[in-house]
Amino acid sequence: MSFIAAAPPLVRTTPPSDPAPLGTVSAGAWWPEIDLAALRDAMRLDGTITAERLRPAVQDALASTIEQLLAWSLVHITAGRPSFADVPALVIDGESVNVQRFRRAVYCTAKANLIERYSDYDTTGRARKDTQEETRDGQAEEHRRDATWAIRDILGVPRLTVDLI
């Protein structure tokens, strides 16, 4: 009689102790830069999301966020504001809340995209449970909601619109 024991695959769940610098993603001088290492820490992205996966997700999230703020930004650019951080807003911890909200919108959109794209890295052949899939979908939707709220807060519009039908 023979017995073959197969261990589960090794998945690195934390970045290496001395990771290579991830850099930043920039959309021009007026918009805040996104620090990829800070995003990874803030959104609790482990080592399964490589830099090659993270950068395109952040680029897409940055483009999406800027598109939603484009009309608002043009008003402030034509008013002579040299950068996003110079738009008048409450300052907390030495930073404009608009910059904090912009960062949150980009971070949350990027994480929602990553959750949807890379929701299954289980290579053992086991089927995903329906409850796990629902949980991932719910997490992605919560991140999208948070991003929408951050953008609406920057725009100064209510977070919710209710119409009677």
Side-chain angles (χ1 to χ4, degrees):
M1 178 195 270
S2 63
F3 176 73
I4 299 175
L10 295 175
V11 176
R12 184 172 59 186
T13 58
T14 57
S17 59
D18 188 19
L22 295 174
T24 60
V25 177
S26 175
W30 199 80
W31 298 98
E33 281 189 340
I34 300 299
D35 182 328
L36 297 177
L39 182 148
R40 183 183 290 271
D41 289 341
M43 300 309 290
R44 298 183 333 168
L45 295 174
D46 61 24
T48 60
I49 303 297
T50 64
E52 292 79 18
R53 291 177 178 175
L54 182 59
R55 183 169 291 278
V58 172
Q59 289 169 339
D60 184 59
L62 193 56
S64 175
T65 302
I66 289 172
E67 286 171 0
Q68 294 178 64
L69 293 171
L70 197 54
W72 176 88
S73 68
L74 292 175
V75 169
H76 292 288
I77 290 169
T78 56
R81 305 239 159 56
S83 71
F84 187 94
D86 293 317
V87 174
L90 179 65
V91 174
I92 296 178
D93 275 344
E95 185 176 50
S96 164
V97 293
N98 281 345
V99 172
Q100 295 169 8
R101 290 169 176 162
F102 179 84
R103 192 179 307 119
R104 182 177 29 164
V106 173
Y107 285 15
C108 289
T109 301
K111 178 127 186 207
N113 289 342
L114 289 167
I115 288 171
E116 290 172 345
R117 279 197 190 95
Y118 304 110
S119 64
D120 186 15
Y121 55 85
D122 182 3
T123 57
T124 62
R126 292 177 293 194
R128 233 179 347 197
K129 295 180 183 175
D130 289 338
T131 56
Q132 290 173 331
E133 186 67 29
E134 289 171 10
T135 300
R136 286 186 182 105
D137 289 344
Q139 288 174 349
E141 286 305 312
E142 288 173 6
H143 286 298
R144 290 198 192 287
R145 178 207 60 210
D146 289 347
T148 299
W149 284 0
I151 290 167
R152 294 181 72 76
D153 288 347
I154 291 169
L155 295 173
V157 297
R159 291 181 174 186
L160 178 67
T161 304
V162 178
D163 291 326
L164 286 173
I165 298 177

